[in-house]
Amino acid sequence: MFRNIQLNGNIANAVKGCTEVVATTSTKAPFAGKSPKQVLPTKPIFLTNYNLQSTLLSKKALTPVTTTQVRLVHTDFKVPDYTAYRRDSVKNPSASNRDTFEKRNAFTYMVLGTAVTGTMFCAKAVVHKFVLSMAPAADVLALASIEVNLNEIPEGKNATIKWRGKPLFVRHRTSAEIQIEQNTSLSELRDPEDDSVRVQKPEWLVIIGVCTHLGCVPIANAGEWGGYYCPCHGSHYDAAGRIRKGPAPSNMEVPPYKFIDDNTLLVG
Amino acid sequence: MTSSTFSFFKAASRWSKNHKFFLTSFGVLAGGGSSIIYALEQSIHASNDAAHVAKQKWNHNGWFDTLDHASVRRGWEVYKNVCAACHSVEYLAYRELVGVCLTENEAKAEAAEQMIEDGPDETGAMFKRPGKLSDLIPKPYPNEEAARYANNGAYPPDLTYITQARIDGENYIFSLLTGYMDPPAGVVLAENQHFNPYFPGGAIGMAQALYDEIIEYEDGTPATQSQCAKDVVTFLKWCAEPEHDTRKLFAMKAFTILGVLNLVVWYLHRHYWSVMKTRKIFQSPKSLFKK
Amino acid sequence: MSIVNVLYKTVLKRPSRFFVVVAVTSLFFERTVDIGIESLYDRINRGKQWKDISSKYE
């Protein structure tokens, strides 16, 4: 054991983290019969007193310096204690870790499952909020539909109401008008649509008051058919809002509407 | 002293000129900006000779406490019968009261009582029509000038967001409404001014608005001055923060879920990093062991 | 074999099964948390919210 050790100058760095005594210049032990080739350091450093003092850890630690032995055992080196990181089930040295493997794994997987579930809950809430922000605002929605009080519209009159920025015609038709419109044959019409398709209740005609030609607002109770007359380019509509004469290509549009009760109409 | 003593300062000597200029400007701007904000904040407090407002125990104070909607409903009654004579809530629409303090039919009826200007009609003229749910609550004055003219130059502020617009909004408004008193000796008020110790300066253009029994509550609650003040403040709190109840419900959900996630993430972090954190590392240079 | 071992073998061991089970659980979890917390919130604020008093005015 007590052989001369040969150290190079970097040994001090090398032994810092090492807890065992290291026999340096470890060459293979010579076997009988076959002697291995000796590899010698190219430039041996002679272990003189002066040499060791200048290369090893510190002068203090190594005094008195002998040339026969240098012990590099560091008993003050603290091995870190990782017990806190170990699970209780594997702390018992006489029990097999394999017995509790599934239990330990199951716990971690269940925690992982909880994490994924919670994250999905949050992600869904966030996505939901962002998607909802694309929906129309409440004030826009409040204007999207209007209620019309039908009591205020006498028979034979046409009420004009603003709805989504457009004029809405609500016409209380007389029985004579109803009679005429219902008996109009489809062959007379440019844009054939039966009266029953255009109204829900025969007395009430609900249309968007925009001429289908160039978007003027027609005048009610005017024109050759007594329905609507567009003053811009002379389109004539009948009392069902159907185009009869003039440049307009199609009938006036019927918006979605329903009767909440006998006197209230909900448009939109 | 050797130069190594000043190694701490030597770091700056290696900086480029631009680097130094940038850091110096940043420091000056940040410091100056903070000082200005601090000075402005202090000057506000310094100019404020108003009495300190008492902290009231609002029953929506807790983290998870909703507004008391019966109180909001009474507060709406107080607002429309008392405050609405001078103060607007111009950003509030009738439809927003539905499901908060009025039923849909009640809100429709209240809206229909107001004549709202609409138009232009086919002749181009503006016209009046009964209000609808989508209408905003009408203002007492058409514009600020009219409001000032009618109130001796004082402008009754809009109340929609007033609890947010005053420091310690709810308590301040409550104290202001209930704090009117005769001016102490030596305080001279101008004509049409009133003394209120909670108002900065003490002289306020607004007369005392709330007295005992000034209105009669529909639900029979005794309409004392403080009851009216409390109710109208609760209403204004809702008005400024209509999302109040939903927000607190959401907070409750968030605390629950994030609380669970916090524990879970702590465990998983420890689990995944335990491999890294329990490694022992030592060097074995080739020169030493592989000769 | 305890219930944990059964759970481990049936659900947790295979990632495919694990994530299917997690996805399905999330659906129920969300409903449960929503309903649970909302009912707790309503209980804390009993008598204060509009839905508690609206019946008086309709």
Side-chain angles (χ1 to χ4, degrees):
Chain A
M1 284 295 284
F2 290 84
R3 58 166 86 183
N4 262 0
I5 54 170
Q6 295 181 340
L7 299 167
N8 64 21
N10 290 329
I11 188 69
N13 292 332
V15 296
K16 263 184 191 164
C18 179
T19 59
E20 290 167 19
V21 183
V22 179
T24 53
T25 65
S26 60
T27 53
K28 284 173 187 167
F31 288 102
K34 208 177 184 184
S35 66
K37 200 180 176 185
Q38 285 284 330
V39 181
L40 292 170
T42 47
K43 198 181 173 192
I45 301 164
F46 298 104
L47 293 175
T48 61
N49 196 353
Y50 173 79
N51 192 334
L52 275 173
Q53 284 193 20
S54 61
T55 51
L56 286 180
L57 299 174
S58 69
K59 292 173 185 175
K60 242 184 197 173
L62 292 168
T63 42
V65 176
T66 62
T67 51
T68 54
Q69 183 193 21
V70 177
R71 283 188 64 85
L72 294 170
V73 179
H74 290 256
T75 48
D76 60 336
F77 189 89
K78 274 189 185 146
V79 180
D81 179 15
Y82 295 135
T83 319
Y85 276 94
R86 304 175 73 197
R87 284 159 214 278
D88 291 339
S89 55
V90 296
K91 278 178 186 166
N92 182 2
S94 60
S96 167
N97 285 357
R98 197 166 297 176
D99 296 342
T100 55
F101 170 79
E102 287 187 2
K103 229 174 178 176
R104 278 179 282 133
N105 257 18
F107 182 73
T108 300
Y109 276 128
M110 283 193 282
V111 172
L112 180 66
T114 314
V116 175
T117 307
T119 312
M120 278 168 85
F121 182 94
C122 298
K124 190 240 163 191
V126 170
V127 170
H128 191 69
K129 286 279 160 194
F130 274 102
V131 170
L132 274 188
S133 74
M134 286 186 251
D139 57 340
V140 176
L141 278 180
L143 291 171
S145 60
I146 51 162
E147 283 181 18
V148 182
N149 187 359
L150 298 176
N151 279 338
E152 291 168 358
I153 306 169
E155 203 172 315
K157 289 285 180 191
N158 180 77
T160 309
I161 299 145
K162 244 186 192 170
W163 177 66
R164 299 188 187 174
K166 289 177 239 170
L168 179 80
F169 289 162
V170 181
R171 185 188 184 99
H172 196 168
R173 301 198 293 189
T174 61
S175 53
E177 283 173 338
I178 297 168
Q179 200 70 31
I180 293 168
E181 300 309 332
Q182 284 180 343
N183 294 332
T184 309
S185 87
L186 293 180
S187 59
E188 294 173 32
L189 300 169
R190 179 181 300 167
D191 182 7
E193 249 185 318
D194 197 65
D195 187 60
S196 59
V197 180
R198 296 182 58 80
V199 292
Q200 289 179 16
K201 282 184 182 177
E203 311 89 73
W204 297 103
L205 172 71
V206 183
I207 51 172
I208 293 172
V210 175
C211 179
T212 53
H213 177 220
L214 285 173
C216 293
V217 179
I219 298 163
N221 292 327
E224 290 175 26
W225 277 265
Y228 300 91
Y229 172 70
C230 180
C232 293
H233 302 92
S235 295
H236 297 258
Y237 297 87
D238 63 15
R242 295 177 293 194
I243 180 66
R244 302 302 285 265
K245 188 184 172 187
S250 57
N251 304 332
M252 282 195 273
E253 196 188 330
V254 179
Y257 66 92
K258 65 179 178 194
F259 292 93
I260 296 175
D261 53 51
D262 284 348
N263 299 320
T264 320
L265 171 73
L266 180 78
V267 184
Chain B
M1 271 191 215
T2 58
S3 64
S4 65
T5 318
F6 295 102
S7 59
F8 175 74
F9 301 101
K10 273 173 83 179
S13 68
R14 285 200 297 273
W15 293 348
S16 72
K17 210 172 181 183
N18 284 344
H19 196 171
K20 282 180 193 165
F21 176 75
F22 172 76
L23 280 174
T24 312
S25 334
F26 180 78
V28 169
L29 283 177
S34 318
S35 314
I36 288 174
I37 290 169
Y38 182 74
L40 289 175
E41 175 77 8
Q42 286 306 302
S43 68
I44 287 172
H45 288 307
S47 69
N48 194 347
D49 56 354
H52 284 267
V53 298
K55 303 274 181 215
Q56 306 295 335
K57 286 183 181 172
W58 301 103
N59 54 18
H60 53 261
N61 261 356
W63 279 20
F64 305 128
D65 286 338
T66 62
L67 293 164
D68 182 0
H69 284 255
S71 183
V72 174
R73 187 181 167 97
R74 290 194 296 270
W76 165 243
E77 284 179 56
V78 175
Y79 167 76
K80 74 177 175 191
N81 291 319
V82 182
C83 318
C86 301
H87 290 278
S88 57
V89 278
E90 59 176 319
Y91 304 105
L92 185 69
Y94 281 102
R95 63 181 164 76
E96 293 177 78
L97 297 167
V98 176
V100 173
C101 62
L102 296 178
T103 66
E104 188 167 345
N105 289 332
E106 285 170 333
K108 274 182 184 168
E110 294 205 4
E113 283 170 20
Q114 306 288 337
M115 292 308 283
I116 309 285
E117 192 173 77
D118 198 357
D121 60 6
E122 55 265 46
T123 65
M126 304 300 277
F127 60 94
K128 296 259 183 184
R129 58 160 175 78
K132 292 184 291 192
L133 279 185
S134 57
D135 287 320
L136 297 173
I137 288 163
K139 299 193 275 184
Y141 303 107
N143 49 50
E144 187 179 331
E145 284 72 14
R148 283 193 189 279
Y149 182 72
N151 291 289
N152 299 305
Y155 175 50
D158 184 80
L159 295 184
T160 321
Y161 300 112
I162 199 74
T163 59
Q164 305 260 43
R166 297 288 178 272
I167 293 168
D168 201 4
E170 297 138 90
N171 294 322
Y172 168 73
I173 295 166
F174 182 88
S175 300
L176 191 81
L177 289 172
T178 55
Y180 281 89
M181 57 190 286
D182 293 330
V187 173
V188 183
L189 295 173
E191 204 185 337
N192 290 314
Q193 281 200 319
H194 310 270
F195 185 77
N196 193 319
Y198 297 102
F199 190 71
I204 183 168
M206 173 181 159
Q208 181 170 357
L210 297 179
Y211 298 91
D212 288 349
E213 309 297 333
I214 191 167
I215 61 164
E216 203 164 298
Y217 281 132
E218 169 205 52
D219 61 1
T221 309
T224 59
Q225 186 198 38
S226 59
Q227 178 73 40
C228 290
K230 176 226 162 191
D231 289 339
V232 80
V233 168
T234 311
F235 168 73
L236 293 173
K237 172 80 175 172
W238 166 77
C239 198
E241 295 167 42
E243 84 295 351
H244 180 276
D245 295 357
T246 330
R247 189 183 70 211
K248 286 185 171 175
L249 173 62
F250 211 82
M252 201 162 165
K253 285 184 188 174
F255 279 124
T256 312
I257 289 295
L258 295 180
V260 172
L261 277 185
N262 207 15
L263 291 175
V264 159
V265 167
W266 171 81
Y267 173 84
L268 288 176
H269 172 269
R270 198 173 157 83
H271 177 78
Y272 292 131
W273 280 85
S274 63
V275 178
M276 298 293 283
K277 292 199 172 184
T278 55
R279 284 193 309 183
K280 298 174 193 173
I281 302 171
F282 61 92
Q283 278 184 329
S284 56
K286 283 177 183 173
S287 58
L288 184 63
F289 294 107
K290 290 189 178 171
K291 233 160 214 176
Chain C
M1 220 161 64
S2 71
I3 194 162
V4 179
N5 298 66
V6 176
L7 190 70
Y8 180 77
K9 287 215 166 65
T10 51
V11 177
L12 303 171
K13 202 173 175 185
R14 290 173 186 277
S16 54
R17 287 187 192 173
F18 174 68
F19 282 107
V20 166
V21 168
V22 165
V24 172
T25 316
S26 306
L27 296 175
F28 291 101
F29 176 78
E30 198 207 345
R31 288 309 298 149
T32 317
V33 169
D34 277 348
I35 293 170
I37 293 181
E38 272 161 34
S39 68
L40 180 63
Y41 189 68
D42 290 346
R43 192 187 292 181
I44 293 172
N45 296 297
R46 183 175 290 162
K48 283 166 74 183
Q49 297 185 86
W50 175 248
K51 60 187 166 196
D52 301 330
I53 58 169
S54 61
S55 57
K56 280 192 261 177
Y57 306 108
E58 275 164 352

